[in-house]
Amino acid sequence: MIALGADHGGYELKEAIKKYLDERGIAYKDFGTFSTESVDYPDYALKVAEAVASHECSEGILVCGTGIGMSIAANKVPGIRAAHAEDVFSAKAAKEHNNANILCLGGRITGPGLAVMMVEEWLNATFQGGRHQKRIDKIAEIEKKYSK
């Protein structure tokens, strides 16, 4: 199941992504927001990141105005590798090379057509492991070093 979250700047793009997931029969849980009324993106980043970190959901997609704030906030949760992407190649590589478990998009910088292509490539990609695994392990060590 995919965890979805957005702030007011990402609401409309989140809705377009939901339509794509519905058409493909891909299960998701929408953690909000549910309108374009102004909200604080860290609240939604945390909900999605915790759902992914706890394995309630297998992966997550977060959308704010640029995707940057969501990425910063989600990456504060141990075990999360939230990747901000602006193109299809980066979205796919985020999964294949970085084992990104959350994809972050910008509702004010990415149109729905491109976003759907990015989501599709990211969902269909597989972590390649190998030389990339040792780098993921190093990220986990950094996390451990600074965890309380």
Side-chain angles (χ1 to χ4, degrees), residues 42-123:
D43 298 338
Y44 299 92
L46 181 61
K47 290 177 185 185
V48 168
E50 287 180 335
V52 173
S54 71
H55 305 290
E56 174 187 350
C57 295
S58 59
E59 299 173 297
I61 299 170
L62 287 166
V63 190
C64 64
T66 63
I68 297 168
M70 287 291 200
S71 175
I72 292 169
N75 278 315
K76 300 299 181 188
V77 175
I80 294 302
R81 291 173 305 280
H84 172 248
E86 294 184 26
D87 58 75
V88 175
F89 176 81
S90 297
K92 183 178 180 184
K95 177 76 73 65
E96 290 180 344
H97 295 189
N98 310 112
N99 202 16
N101 49 16
I102 296 179
L103 179 64
C104 299
L105 304 174
R108 294 182 178 142
I109 60 172
T110 304
L114 177 58
V116 163
M117 287 190 289
M118 292 166 66
V119 167
E120 183 171 43
E121 286 294 319
W122 180 72
L123 288 174

Side-chain angles (χ1 to χ4, degrees), residues 1 3 11 13 23 27-28 40 46 54 56 60 67 93 110 116 124 127-129 133 138 142-143 145:
M1 179 178 304
Y11 169 75
L13 190 57
E23 290 169 355
Y28 61 85
D40 297 328
L46 181 61
S54 71
E56 174 187 350
T110 304
V116 163
N124 290 329
F127 178 54
Q128 293 178 349
Q133 183 60 55
K138 287 181 178 189
I142 294 168
E143 234 173 36
K145 180 177 179 179

